[in-house]
Amino acid sequence: MQSTDMRLDVTSMTGLEQTVEIAATLHLPDDMPDGKLQFVFAVHGGGYQRLYWDPPFADESYSFARWFTDHGKAVLAIDMLGMGESSKPEPESLLSGAIVAAAHAAALAQVTAKLDRPVSVTGMGHSMGGMMMIAQAANHPAFDRVAVLGWANEPMVLGDTDVASLQADIIPSGYLPTVRAPMRKLFYWPDVPPDLIAADEAHASSTPATLGRDALTSGIVHEAAARITVPVLVVQSEIDTSPAPEKELAYYSASPAVELQIVNDAAHCQNFAGTRRKHWADLNDWIDRTS
């Protein structure tokens, strides 16, 4: 796997009067395939950063990026605007979901333009990243397919906490610290090693209050989901955010093909589960079938 870190200036797309950059890592196969390149645009969830897709604190078997590049696909993993190493505009209240989606779309466009070859782009968002992927796909259509992992359009279930409790803790503006203890039952299947959980939590990112509020607002991307016109894959784990995964499909009413995958023996953070490679293989098969 060939990995390149980059900072992408997306200021012009945000309308903010300050420099705005998206931190990203482009992972390419060692042996680049001929023809159209399968390209995965991967967006992490709340409290995370792009390391979710290639964790430096775990062995290579936990790397989504390595697994997919070994199967001939490119992976562009970004830090969401306001998270990880991406810019954190001040005041945070300047941000909106629309601005964040526009910034992410600009980052994707810059990287695919630099590749200067035909690409088939899969948008893949995990948890809060799924929310942002839905918004981006509806308002900046550049995807050939969209995979929504661990995001629920149904009223969410959240492990040992609940939506009302989390809403009460959100500050009016600013960057929220990550408090993981109430989320462990939701995030990690019992087979995840405790030292891996500790390392994952040690690499947590703060989250813009704007996105935190959005993610806890019922129906926040229902209208956007209904405007996605490419194939959609909904992925939920045995322990996850949707109380009724089968009901998630109906929200993507304009999509020509909507599928559901349930990841067995896994919790919300599928990339850490013992069944992760089966999960990745199922994702890979779906990408190939819809290409």
Side-chain angles (χ1 to χ4, degrees):
M1 179 172 73
Q2 308 168 53
S3 300
T4 305
D5 293 330
M6 56 190 70
R7 296 192 67 82
L8 304 163
D9 190 324
V10 297
T11 306
S12 62
M13 285 294 288
T14 66
L16 301 178
E17 295 181 354
Q18 54 189 285
T19 300
V20 180
E21 295 179 324
I22 294 292
T25 303
L26 177 62
H27 305 280
L28 296 175
D30 286 325
D31 297 315
M32 289 287 283
D34 296 328
K36 185 174 286 189
L37 178 65
Q38 290 291 344
F39 188 99
V40 178
F41 179 64
V43 181
H44 61 83
Y48 275 87
Q49 52 188 312
R50 68 190 189 278
L51 301 181
Y52 176 72
W53 308 101
D54 184 41
F57 49 83
D59 69 61
E60 291 181 355
S61 76
Y62 288 93
S63 175
F64 170 103
R66 184 169 296 277
W67 193 96
F68 274 86
T69 55
D70 284 349
H71 287 75
K73 293 175 172 61
V75 176
L76 176 65
I78 68 165
D79 286 347
M80 279 206 269
L81 180 58
M83 300 175 67
E85 296 178 332
S86 288
S87 296
K88 297 176 177 61
E90 292 290 354
E92 182 275 337
S93 57
L94 292 172
L95 290 178
S96 66
I99 287 173
V100 174
H104 295 176
L108 171 63
Q110 288 182 37
V111 175
T112 54
K114 289 177 183 177
L115 285 173
D116 194 27
R117 61 176 292 174
V119 293
S120 180
V121 183
T122 301
M124 192 170 296
H126 178 251
S127 195
M128 183 186 286
M131 175 187 77
M132 292 312 307
M133 190 59 62
I134 291 168
Q136 184 177 338
N139 295 297
H140 306 276
F143 299 119
D144 295 282
R145 65 201 63 79
V146 172
V148 179
L149 284 58
W151 167 259
N153 283 309
E154 287 287 292
M156 290 190 290
V157 289
L158 297 170
D160 285 335
T161 186
D162 57 68
V163 169
S165 297
L166 292 176
Q167 286 175 325
D169 290 337
I170 293 181
I171 55 180
S173 180
Y175 293 90
L176 302 169
T178 298
V179 180
R180 288 277 182 84
M183 311 300 285
R184 287 173 188 158
K185 184 183 293 185
L186 172 66
F187 279 14
Y188 310 107
W189 191 255
D191 68 351
V192 181
D195 59 342
L196 182 58
I197 294 174
D200 181 44
E201 293 182 342
H203 286 80
S205 167
S206 59
T207 300
T210 296
L211 296 187
R213 272 193 306 275
D214 283 358
L216 297 172
T217 300
S218 179
I220 188 67
V221 288
H222 285 184
E223 184 272 337
R227 290 193 285 116
I228 296 175
T229 57
V230 297
V232 173
L233 178 67
V234 175
V235 178
Q236 288 277 311
S237 300
E238 275 194 56
I239 296 175
D240 218 327
T241 57
S242 180
E246 69 282 355
K247 293 184 179 180
E248 298 292 332
L249 308 186
Y251 290 97
Y252 305 96
S253 54
S255 169
V258 188
E259 297 182 35
L260 172 66
Q261 290 180 1
I262 301 295
V263 186
N264 294 321
D265 299 329
H268 183 59
C269 293
Q270 299 99 350
N271 285 358
F272 298 131
T275 55
R276 60 192 176 277
R277 280 163 288 196
K278 173 64 165 58
H279 160 56
W280 298 339
D282 289 344
L283 285 175
N284 191 61
D285 289 347
W286 171 76
I287 291 172
D288 289 346
R289 281 190 289 104
T290 56
S291 297

